[in-house]
Amino acid sequence: MPEGLLLPMIVAASSLPAFLAAHAFARDRRRLATLMRLVGFAILAGAAGLAWAGGDRTRMLAVAVMLALAVNGLGLVVLVDALRRRRDGPR
């Protein structure tokens, strides 16, 4: 494996739990499944960004910040959705 691709490969592999969760929720929690797929794709985009950044620390930092914002933003949407479902009851 070429040097510099280890970190992007690890980040890409970390998207697997999000896709597995999306698959688990696909039948009865379609919105949550869609959000988890978006989390998985955001992580894959971050891995591609890290591969693009190579060894440039400034680019790597920019990709890491954008990845953190995307994943945590989607996490907040998941949290708000779960709280709303708890408050309103099952639909």
Side-chain angles (χ1 to χ4, degrees):
M1 178 182 325
E3 188 176 325
L5 287 182
L6 181 61
L7 181 60
M9 294 295 284
I10 292 170
V11 171
S14 72
S15 70
L16 185 61
F19 288 119
L20 291 174
H23 181 71
F25 292 127
R27 274 209 172 129
D28 42 340
R29 301 278 312 266
R30 294 182 63 90
R31 179 174 163 85
L32 183 57
T34 299
L35 289 169
M36 292 308 295
R37 276 188 214 96
L38 289 173
V39 169
F41 286 126
I43 294 170
L44 287 176
L50 288 172
W52 164 78
D56 186 342
R57 292 203 181 268
T58 304
R59 287 181 178 178
M60 289 177 69
L61 179 62
V63 170
V65 167
M66 294 308 294
L67 177 60
L69 288 173
V71 170
N72 287 307
L74 288 165
L76 283 175
V77 173
V78 168
L79 179 63
V80 167
D81 185 58
L83 292 174
R84 189 174 293 154
R85 283 181 67 95
R86 180 180 286 178
R87 184 190 66 198
D88 296 342
R91 294 180 186 172

